[in-house]
Amino acid sequence: ARVSWARNGRPSVVGAACGAVAGLVAITPAAGFVTPMAAILIGLGAGVFCFFAVQLVKARLGVDDSLDVVGVHGVGGIFGAIATGIFASKAINPAGADGGIYGNWGLVGIQLTAVAATVVFAVVGTSVILLVLKAVMGLRVTEDDERLGLDLSQHSESAYVFTSDYDEGISARTGHSAPMAKTATSKV
């Protein structure tokens, strides 16, 4: 939230939530291997890196990532894995290895190799899954369905109903069946 506040001139609840998630994602690979102060630094670093990654993915690359998965989980996980190589300490986990700040910069190289292998695995696996889905059912809904909202267009239901005749007009226009039951706010 602090980064979005400094950049946009106002705090953002979404920014705060994404920052918290980014910190948790980044500390996950380091959990049990770093000191509490290193964990705080990793969380803060992840918040900053992920904020700019989300901006890059959406604005510059034009990727449709409505949940910021790439910017928060992808970049946060990569940053956390690399930061583990920097901050790991045998004082915290004797079964582990010391990281770069304790003289073992080789661990950073090992973490970078692991990150590269993970990225390749994720990209190849996701590509295969997407190709199968595209062949079987397609990857996107129509623009009309997207404007209407996926709850209504795909599931014929709505979480929030503010008028009593929403389903008749929408169902007739889209060809989708109306929800089975009226809500408590509907007129009889």
Side-chain angles (χ1 to χ4, degrees):
R2 184 71 180 137
V3 177
S4 66
W5 194 347
R7 177 117 179 184
N8 301 325
R10 64 185 188 285
S12 165
V13 175
V14 173
C18 285
V21 170
L24 291 170
V25 167
I27 195 56
T28 299
F33 296 97
V34 299
T35 64
M37 185 53 72
I40 292 170
L41 292 174
I42 290 170
L44 291 172
V48 173
F49 281 120
C50 292
F51 174 82
F52 289 108
V54 166
Q55 301 303 310
L56 174 74
V57 166
K58 285 185 175 180
R60 299 269 164 79
L61 302 179
V63 175
D64 183 8
D65 186 9
S66 61
L67 299 176
D68 299 330
V69 174
V70 173
V72 175
H73 287 83
V75 171
I78 289 169
F79 173 75
I82 295 168
T84 302
I86 296 169
F87 294 110
S89 171
K90 287 179 82 172
I92 299 299
N93 188 342
D98 281 333
I101 64 170
Y102 299 105
N104 182 14
W105 288 101
L107 185 58
V108 176
I110 292 169
Q111 292 298 102
L112 286 169
T113 302
V115 164
T118 302
V119 168
V120 168
F121 176 78
V123 168
V124 169
T126 301
S127 297
V128 168
I129 291 168
L130 287 174
L131 286 171
V132 170
L133 285 174
K134 185 176 182 180
V136 172
M137 61 187 277
L139 296 179
R140 297 213 45 127
V141 297
T142 66
E143 193 172 321
D144 287 341
D145 282 350
E146 200 166 331
R147 276 199 188 109
L148 178 63
L150 299 182
D151 286 346
L152 284 174
S153 69
Q154 302 300 300
H155 306 292
S156 297
E157 63 185 17
S158 178
Y160 306 100
V161 180
F162 298 109
T163 64
S164 62
D165 61 348
Y166 83 98
D167 55 349
E168 289 83 10
I170 291 170
S171 297
R173 189 172 38 143
T174 64
H176 294 287
S177 62
M180 296 297 289
K182 294 283 187 179
T183 63
T185 59
S186 298
K187 295 179 184 175
V188 181

